[in-house]
Amino acid sequence: MPQNELKKASSEENKLKIIVVAVVVTLCVVITLYFRIIEVKEVYTHLFYIPIGLASFWFGKKGFFVALILALVLLLTHLTMDQLFLNNVMRAFMFCIVGLAVGILSEERNRAENELKKYSERLEEKVEERTRGLKESKNKIEQLHKVAVQMESTQLEEEVYLLTVDAAEKILKFDICEVYMVEGDKLVVKAISSDMPSAGGQSMSIDEGIAGKTYQTGNSYLTEDIRKEKEARPSLDEYRSGISIPIGKFGVFQAVSTEVDAFDQEDLELGELLISHTTEALKRIRSEKALQESEEKYRSLTKQLPVGVYRTTGDGKFLHANPALAAILEFESVEDLMKISASDAYNDPRERINQIRQWKTTKEIISNELKFRTKKGREIWIRDTGRVILDENGEISYIDGVIEDITDRKKVEELLKKQREELSAFAHTVSHDLKNYIGIIRNSAQFSLLKKEYAEKNNQRIIDITKKMENFVNRQLELADAGKTIGELEEIDLNKMIEEVRETYSIEIHRGELSMIKGDSLKLKEVFHNLIDNAIKHGKADKIEISSIKKKNSCIIYVKDNGKGIPEEDIDKIFDMRYSKTGTGFGLTIAKKIIEAHDGSISVKSKEGEGTAFEIVLPI
């Protein structure tokens, strides 16, 4: 409640108290006179203590005068009565003593209440002042936030400078302020407040005055009296206090006043909040400008390149791509390409994850040859040469790369590789068998020299072996040329054939009762040799089981070993000439060719640690 209203209310209350005391005193006097008129010998005067008490309680020592008046009334009304005059005097004296005592106690109470009231009022005023200050601070912070939003929407540094000074004037009530930005070795004024004197706002060296100190140290300063600061170099002598706040590494903000100690800690903190928004806005603008310039140079450089060039985010969003890349991936335009994720171009998206992990780990430029799938669904081979650019937190900022279409080259390489492997396989096969024939010839010749009586017989054997060699070479050439050519089909007893094969090996080879089949005995025997050799040399098997079953138009032969098995990812490649991870590709490829030449098929089932089982299907 306002002070004048409190005084008015107090005055009204006092008037009411006076009226109450006057009425009670009047009643007491009237009662006393009434008893005097009817000549009552003893007048009951204890009623007088009621107005005396009220007056003293309400008006302090002033209540003594009411007691004195009533004491006189008592004495005057009892002058002619039989009562002892001395008793009345004593009673009147007691009225005065009671009035005075109650008044003194009442004044002490009132004084204590007033002190308490004043303290409560002061405390309330402080709370109101603090609340008012908090509301003002909150309001300023909210307004500064709106300024920050404005700064985030602008693309010009000059607008940020003007918004900063405007907010300092209108929100923070800094009448004289300025923004300095670093240019070379100078702090150059970029914006000043409307109340800045014409002689103020001068550029200075980056190490001059408090502004220079602020820029060099990166700390804010609150100066209560500029004249007491040795480092201060005010542009005008009338400046007496100020604050200085760094704008990151970009410049300095200063606010000054012609009065001493015009700024407090709250002013400094709110100023720092404003300048933090300024700093972030400048960082964003300069970063975006640098990125834009870089991208323009990047686009200009890559636009005419015949190879695909790209920049993507870590999650695959295209930031840039050139026309060559769009053409490689069969998109109508770069804009069309940039609508997809980079992962969509990979034949297997997991390869991109592995590639990024590799780039991020090594932090080097690395090339990988991968399969991509074009927009039209065509599978192509590409060489992707790129690197990952990390930010200050070690996270992916973006990925740069160059893509070459190597599909044609890859096809030629694969063809040449396959031809080399097949030629090598053919050479090994021929070499292996020819060595066996040559060994027989050599042994027969040596035996003939030692035992001349057997010369004629051994010479005939040499002639037979030579013919077999000639036939073998012819068959190999036919197989190499046609891939399906086999010798004359004949009835073959698999039981007998396996027994002949088993004599070559020392491991356990078990067989069930096997079927009769038709085929090239020499080539089919080679199939079993290759399968058993593969199980021993590469599967580390020490036991092999061979069995067969007959169906309507075919015979199915199973060759199962107890070796270490084949890795799951290699199952589909073991018959391929190009497969050489375990060194088993050549023998198994030859076996497959022989089986296919018989219009049959061969397949494999295997599990690591549990062995391998080949299934051969031959027509009957």
Side-chain angles (χ1 to χ4, degrees), residues 323-347:
L325 181 59
I328 289 172
L329 297 177
E330 297 183 324
F331 282 84
E332 288 73 17
S333 65
V334 172
E335 291 73 21
D336 192 21
L337 168 63
M338 294 182 71
K339 293 177 183 178
I340 70 166
S341 170
S343 300
D344 296 339
Y346 286 73
N347 193 51

Side-chain angles (χ1 to χ4, degrees), residues 300-567:
S300 176
L301 177 65
T302 61
K303 189 173 182 180
Q304 303 303 323
L305 289 176
V307 294
V309 179
Y310 67 85
R311 172 173 286 178
T312 70
T313 60
D315 58 3
K317 180 182 178 182
F318 276 102
L319 301 175
H320 171 69
N322 70 340
L325 181 59
I328 289 172
L329 297 177
E330 297 183 324
F331 282 84
E332 288 73 17
S333 65
V334 172
E335 291 73 21
D336 192 21
L337 168 63
M338 294 182 71
K339 293 177 183 178
I340 70 166
S341 170
S343 300
D344 296 339
Y346 286 73
N347 193 51
D348 182 355
R350 291 174 298 181
E351 290 184 341
R352 174 175 169 80
I353 298 172
N354 296 332
Q355 189 176 31
I356 292 174
R357 187 182 297 116
Q358 182 186 32
W359 282 336
K360 190 174 181 181
T361 301
T362 61
K363 299 178 183 178
E364 296 177 354
I365 297 175
I366 296 176
S367 294
N368 292 298
E369 294 185 356
L370 306 165
K371 283 185 178 181
F372 270 27
R373 190 169 295 279
T374 69
K375 183 182 179 181
K376 296 179 180 179
R378 188 168 61 90
E379 191 177 88
I380 62 172
W381 275 96
I382 60 95
R383 178 191 285 114
D384 191 356
T385 303
R387 65 170 180 166
V388 166
I389 307 301
L390 304 177
D391 60 21
E392 57 187 11
N393 298 318
E395 298 300 323
I396 296 176
S397 181
Y398 55 87
I399 300 170
D400 281 341
V402 176
I403 286 179
E404 299 174 78
D405 186 350
I406 59 171
T407 305
D408 293 338
R409 194 210 73 194
K410 203 72 176 176
K411 288 179 179 178
V412 172
E413 286 180 355
E414 290 178 358
L415 179 59
L416 290 174
K417 185 178 180 181
K418 183 175 181 180
Q419 289 175 345
R420 285 196 300 269
E421 289 174 348
E422 289 181 348
L423 180 59
S424 177
F426 175 74
H428 279 77
T429 303
V430 172
S431 174
H432 177 269
D433 289 344
L434 287 179
K435 283 180 180 179
N436 289 336
Y437 289 130
I438 292 170
I440 295 172
I441 293 172
R442 183 179 60 249
N443 292 335
S444 298
Q446 289 175 346
F447 189 72
S448 295
L449 292 174
L450 293 174
K451 301 287 185 177
K452 294 187 182 219
E453 61 271 21
Y454 297 112
E456 184 178 348
K457 181 179 178 181
N458 287 327
N459 288 339
Q460 185 59 48
R461 187 180 182 189
I462 290 173
I463 292 171
D464 294 339
I465 291 297
T466 303
K467 289 181 178 180
K468 288 183 178 180
M469 285 176 62
E470 183 180 0
N471 293 332
F472 169 74
V473 171
N474 290 333
R475 283 197 301 270
Q476 289 297 327
L477 290 174
E478 291 174 0
L479 180 60
D481 290 336
K484 297 287 185 178
T485 303
I486 57 173
E488 186 178 348
L489 299 181
E490 57 180 324
E491 289 287 335
I492 301 172
D493 184 350
L494 278 178
N495 297 290
K496 185 177 179 181
M497 177 183 287
I498 297 304
E499 288 300 322
E500 292 175 358
V501 171
R502 183 163 58 178
E503 292 175 357
T504 310
Y505 303 98
S506 59
I507 67 168
E508 293 184 42
I509 299 179
H510 300 282
R511 66 171 179 82
E513 188 61 33
L514 303 177
S515 306
M516 295 291 293
I517 60 172
K518 280 187 177 183
D520 184 331
S521 176
L522 183 63
K523 300 310 295 180
L524 290 177
K525 187 182 292 186
E526 185 178 353
V527 169
F528 290 105
H529 274 297
N530 285 340
L531 294 179
I532 295 171
D533 284 341
N534 181 74
I536 296 172
K537 293 177 182 178
H538 307 292
K540 307 301 180 185
D542 58 11
K543 183 179 179 180
I544 295 175
E545 294 182 358
I546 302 175
S547 60
S548 71
I549 59 172
K550 263 192 174 183
K551 289 195 173 180
K552 184 176 181 181
N553 297 314
S554 63
C555 175
I556 303 175
I557 306 166
Y558 299 98
V559 180
K560 183 177 180 181
D561 64 58
N562 65 346
K564 63 181 183 181
I566 302 170

Side-chain angles (χ1 to χ4, degrees), residues 43 45 84 116 121 128 157 160 168 188 231 238 293 298 330 336 378 413 448 461 476 482 518 529 538 543 598 611 617:
V43 178
T45 58
L84 293 174
L116 182 61
E121 289 175 353
E128 289 179 356
E157 291 188 21
V160 175
V188 179
E231 297 169 323
E238 61 217 52
E293 291 175 353
Y298 190 72
E330 297 183 324
D336 192 21
R378 188 168 61 90
E413 286 180 355
S448 295
R461 187 180 182 189
Q476 289 297 327
K518 280 187 177 183
H529 274 297
H538 307 292
K543 183 179 179 180
H598 285 76
V617 180

Side-chain angles (χ1 to χ4, degrees), residues 152 154-157 160 250 278-296 311 391-392 397-398:
E152 282 300 311
T154 183
Q155 299 299 321
L156 299 175
E157 291 188 21
V160 175
F250 305 120
T278 303
T279 304
E280 290 303 314
L282 292 175
K283 282 182 181 179
R284 175 187 57 79
I285 290 173
R286 294 195 176 186
S287 176
E288 289 176 354
K289 184 179 179 181
L291 181 60
Q292 184 178 2
E293 291 175 353
S294 174
E295 287 179 346
E296 288 175 357
R311 172 173 286 178
D391 60 21
E392 57 187 11
S397 181
Y398 55 87

Side-chain angles (χ1 to χ4, degrees), residues 71-88:
L72 292 173
V73 171
L74 174 66
L75 293 174
L76 291 174
T77 56
H78 288 74
L79 286 176
T80 59
M81 296 184 71
D82 295 338
Q83 295 177 339
L84 293 174
F85 184 73
L86 182 61
N87 290 340
N88 292 329

